[in-house]
């Protein structure tokens, strides 16, 4: 068993970062379902007085691309899944923070476990800090675009 290089792990991620994939099934069918589910969560939270906020956590491949300074192309865009998530959250009026840049400072190799892609303890601390900052800001400030 050998450790894979970041960027070589998951076929699913390869699909998510391919712009054309979002115009064909299954992603073209999944995005409206995701949008509807998130909107329903936002409505339910609002009706129950729940302060709902979200964190957008990138795949290790995205962090690796940022660290390496790889520019998107017409066929490959590592930030595309996060942008799609941000569009859905914005559309539902859910304040959020994307932790890609913070995790990039740590690096994919130190931020993600090599075999399953979950966050390491150090990366979880970064996400916890982002959650703390997100909840420390008033909701009105976040709605005004402070991300």
């Amino acid at each position: 068993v050998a450790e894979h290089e970041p960027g070589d792990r998951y076929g699913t991620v390869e699909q998510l970062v391919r712009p054309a994939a979002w115009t064909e099934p299954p992603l073209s069918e999944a995005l409206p379902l995701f949008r509807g589910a998130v909107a329903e969560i936002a409505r339910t939270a609002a009706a129950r007085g729940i302060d709902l906020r979200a964190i957008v956590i990138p795949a290790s491949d995205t962090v690796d691309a940022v660290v390496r300074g790889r520019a998107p192309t017409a066929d490959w865009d590592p930030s595309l899944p996060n942008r799609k998530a941000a569009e859905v959250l914005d559309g539902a009026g859910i304040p959020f923070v994307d932790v890609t840049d913070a995790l990039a400072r740590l690096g994919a190799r130190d931020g993600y476990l090599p075999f399953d892609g979950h966050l390491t303890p150090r990366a979880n601390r970064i996400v916890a800090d982002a959650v703390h900052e997100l909840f420390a800001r008033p909701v009105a400030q976040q709605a005004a675009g402070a991300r």
Side-chain angles (χ1 to χ4, degrees):
V1 176
E3 179 180 345
H4 297 282
E5 288 294 318
D8 294 333
R9 289 195 190 129
Y10 305 108
T12 303
V13 173
E14 290 175 17
Q15 185 177 23
L16 293 173
V17 300
R18 198 169 52 84
W22 291 88
T23 64
E24 55 197 37
L27 294 182
S28 65
E29 297 167 348
L31 187 57
L33 295 173
F34 178 52
R35 190 175 288 117
V38 170
E40 181 61 27
I41 291 168
R43 283 190 295 273
T44 300
R48 295 181 181 173
I50 297 169
D51 182 4
L52 179 63
R53 304 182 197 199
I55 304 292
V56 177
I57 301 174
S60 63
D61 299 57
T62 299
V63 170
D64 187 58
V66 170
V67 168
R68 294 173 190 249
R70 293 184 62 195
T73 67
D75 297 325
W76 177 84
D77 183 349
S79 66
L80 186 57
N82 289 32
R83 285 201 319 277
K84 294 291 185 180
E87 290 168 10
V88 169
L89 292 166
D90 268 338
I94 300 172
F96 69 93
V97 65
D98 183 327
V99 294
T100 300
D101 291 338
L103 290 174
R105 287 190 287 279
L106 179 60
R109 196 171 288 287
D110 291 332
Y112 294 82
L113 297 174
F115 297 108
D116 66 7
H118 286 90
L119 298 176
T120 64
R122 289 176 62 199
N124 273 298
R125 172 51 40 207
I126 289 169
V127 173
D129 291 345
V131 168
H132 176 75
E133 290 177 27
L134 180 63
F135 275 92
R137 286 187 252 146
V139 174
Q141 179 184 2
Q142 293 178 43
R147 291 210 172 16

